[in-house]
């Protein structure tokens, strides 16, 4: 592979690359027979949060359900309280540490959602911080506004609280975010205990009018019809999909909406019911994989671990899983023309793994075999 100014100029057999006029004077990096992949594109993360929820992890192990914990003010609302109380400096330090970890596992692009603020000032605090982080460190950050994550505590005691909170999202948060160009995408958590399909439609239709592209948290806890809504609205992706039915699978297969699967979430919660990846692939849907990095349901930045889960639990082949975590994920972020594969003209984002065969990347689990990560032609991580 020959790289100039962060772009791939030539790629293929050594004889072809060396024929290129610039090859002689290029600085050579010998990766010693290791496997080179496109950098992972993590298309679903909740990057910015203030703290772990390890105490809830233990409660869940002892038998409390995710929804029970949420009803008692734990879950997402727990993260909201902590984020509102945290300073931007604290949040920034935590996020910068995490972004370095992402690079150490071969990830070069991450989508990042707001959604732990849930008031105008706190949602803006997250999105402004994402903009600063994008400018100050090498990993590309794609911003998504998730004001409609859940209804915050102060609205729950009011009559029609959820509907009033949706008014706040639509009338006050969205216009500010659009004015400041703080997000490319708008997401809604449409499920039991979060927002209805009607509320999701309202937020996403309004976001579209403002030029944001919709995406959806869909059919994780119950089947709500959110997948059909995502297809109807031309969403870039609908994510989770543990509860989808045959008709949803066919609707996705006929659409350009990416089915983004998040097996880390099911694994961490100890759920046995994974999304039907094989049925989606066989029907012809576009399948992506992401970490869903967040403190409550998927505390990992490791895409290689997600590949292991995709292979063993979702029965995806190693090649399908790698495509889902690179080019298909880039497509889900409207970046497939520039990222997600190693081709002439594309950005030189790649990761080198200490293995002899790409299948060993998911085969080993819970191990980090990433040896080097390159973003835009620059080394951003090197083992030892
Ligand atoms: Zn999520």
């Amino acid at each position: 592979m020959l790289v100039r100014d962060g772009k791939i100029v030539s790629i293929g057999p050594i004889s072809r690359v060396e024929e290129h006029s610039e090859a002689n004077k290029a600085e050579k990096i010998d990766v010693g027979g290791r496997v080179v992949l496109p950098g992972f594109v993590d298309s679903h993360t909740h990057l910015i949060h203030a703290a772990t929820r390890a105490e809830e992890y233990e409660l869940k192990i002892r038998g409390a359900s995710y929804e029970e914990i949420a009803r008692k003010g734990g879950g997402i609302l727990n993260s909201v309280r902590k984020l509102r109380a945290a300073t931007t400096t604290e949040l920034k330090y935590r996020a910068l540490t995490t972004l370095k970890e992402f690079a150490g596992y071969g990830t070069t692009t991450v989508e990042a959602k707001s959604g732990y603020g849930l008031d105008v000032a706190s949602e803006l605090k997250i999105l402004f911080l994402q903009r600063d982080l994008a400018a100050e460190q090498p990993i590309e950050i794609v911003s998504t506004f998730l004001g409609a994550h859940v209804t915050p505590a102060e609205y729950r005691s009011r009559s029609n609280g959820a509907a009033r909170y949706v008014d706040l999202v639509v009338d006050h948060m969205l216009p500010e975010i659009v004015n400041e160009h703080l997000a490319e995408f708008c997401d809604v958590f449409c499920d039991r205990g979060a927002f209805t399909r009607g509320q999701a439609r309202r937020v996403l239709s309004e976001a579209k009018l403002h030029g944001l592209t919709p995406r959806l948290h869909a059919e994780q806890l119950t089947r709500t019809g959110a997948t059909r809504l995502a297809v109807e609205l031309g969403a870039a992706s609908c994510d989770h999909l543990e509860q989808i039915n045959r008709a949803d699978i066919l609707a996705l297969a006929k659409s350009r909406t990416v089915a983004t699967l998040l097996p880390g979430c099911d694994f961490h919660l100890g759920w046995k019911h994974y999304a039907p990846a094989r049925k989606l692939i066989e029907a012809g849907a576009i399948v992506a994989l992401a970490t869903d990095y967040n403190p409550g349901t998927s505390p990992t930045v490791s895409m290689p671990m997600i590949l292991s889960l995709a292979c063993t639990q979702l029965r995806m082949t190693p090649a399908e899983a790698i495509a889902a975590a690179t080019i298909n994920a880039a497509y889900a972020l409207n970046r497939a023309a520039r990222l997600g594969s190693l081709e002439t003209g594309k950005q030189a984002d790649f990761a080198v793994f200490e293995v002899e065969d790409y299948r060993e990347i998911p085969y080993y689990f819970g191990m980090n075999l990433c040896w080097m990560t390159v973003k835009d032609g620059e080394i951003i991580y090197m083992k030892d």
Side-chain angles (χ1 to χ4, degrees), residues 218-231:
E219 339 276 8
Q220 180 191 13
L221 308 168
T222 50
R223 189 182 169 276
T224 60
T227 301
R228 306 299 282 277
L229 177 65
V231 169

Side-chain angles (χ1 to χ4, degrees), residues 252-328:
L252 280 169
K254 281 194 217 133
S255 78
R256 289 166 171 270
T257 299
V258 176
T260 300
L261 310 183
L262 310 167
C265 201
D266 305 286
F267 173 76
H268 181 76
L269 294 171
W271 291 353
K272 307 286 181 282
H273 192 77
Y274 285 85
R278 281 257 57 87
K279 286 182 182 158
L280 283 161
I281 291 169
E282 274 145 29
I286 309 164
V287 171
L289 288 165
T291 61
D292 192 14
Y293 170 66
N294 80 82
T297 62
S298 192
T300 186
V301 299
S302 169
M303 194 65 89
M305 179 66 193
I306 299 302
L307 298 182
S308 297
L309 291 173
C311 292
T312 58
Q313 305 302 313
L314 305 182
R315 316 309 294 176
M316 292 170 76
T317 66
E320 286 168 343
I322 289 167
T326 54
I327 187 68
N328 291 5

Side-chain angles (χ1 to χ4, degrees), residues 163-302:
R164 287 192 185 183
Y165 177 66
V166 167
D167 290 339
L168 179 79
V169 169
V170 168
D171 298 335
H172 298 281
M173 292 183 187
L174 259 177
E176 285 251 21
I177 285 156
V178 171
N179 253 342
E180 298 281 352
H181 305 286
L182 288 174
E184 279 176 59
F185 295 95
C186 183
D187 195 343
V188 175
F189 185 12
C190 179
D191 215 319
R192 184 169 70 202
F195 294 96
T196 65
R197 203 169 43 161
Q199 289 160 344
R201 180 193 296 280
R202 178 152 178 245
V203 173
L204 296 176
S205 305
E206 199 68 31
K208 260 180 98 166
L209 290 176
H210 282 292
L212 303 188
T213 304
R215 35 188 357 114
L216 263 170
H217 281 68
E219 339 276 8
Q220 180 191 13
L221 308 168
T222 50
R223 189 182 169 276
T224 60
T227 301
R228 306 299 282 277
L229 177 65
V231 169
E232 184 198 316
L233 293 173
S237 74
C238 58
D239 303 27
H240 280 295
L241 309 182
E242 284 84 345
Q243 311 295 337
I244 50 172
N245 66 21
R246 182 81 199 144
D248 299 329
I249 292 171
L250 295 176
L252 280 169
K254 281 194 217 133
S255 78
R256 289 166 171 270
T257 299
V258 176
T260 300
L261 310 183
L262 310 167
C265 201
D266 305 286
F267 173 76
H268 181 76
L269 294 171
W271 291 353
K272 307 286 181 282
H273 192 77
Y274 285 85
R278 281 257 57 87
K279 286 182 182 158
L280 283 161
I281 291 169
E282 274 145 29
I286 309 164
V287 171
L289 288 165
T291 61
D292 192 14
Y293 170 66
N294 80 82
T297 62
S298 192
T300 186
V301 299
S302 169

Side-chain angles (χ1 to χ4, degrees), residues 47-48 88 92 95-96 99 110-114 123-144 175-184:
L47 172 69
I48 298 196
T88 301
K92 188 174 184 178
L96 275 172
L99 286 162
V110 299
E111 183 259 16
K113 302 175 195 293
S114 68
E123 285 294 297
L124 287 171
K125 175 164 87 174
I126 298 170
L127 292 169
F128 272 116
L129 179 51
Q130 288 180 181
R131 177 196 275 176
D132 290 350
L133 289 166
E136 290 172 26
Q137 56 74 55
I139 292 196
E140 185 165 341
I141 298 176
V142 182
S143 269
T144 296
E176 285 251 21
I177 285 156
V178 171
N179 253 342
E180 298 281 352
H181 305 286
L182 288 174
E184 279 176 59

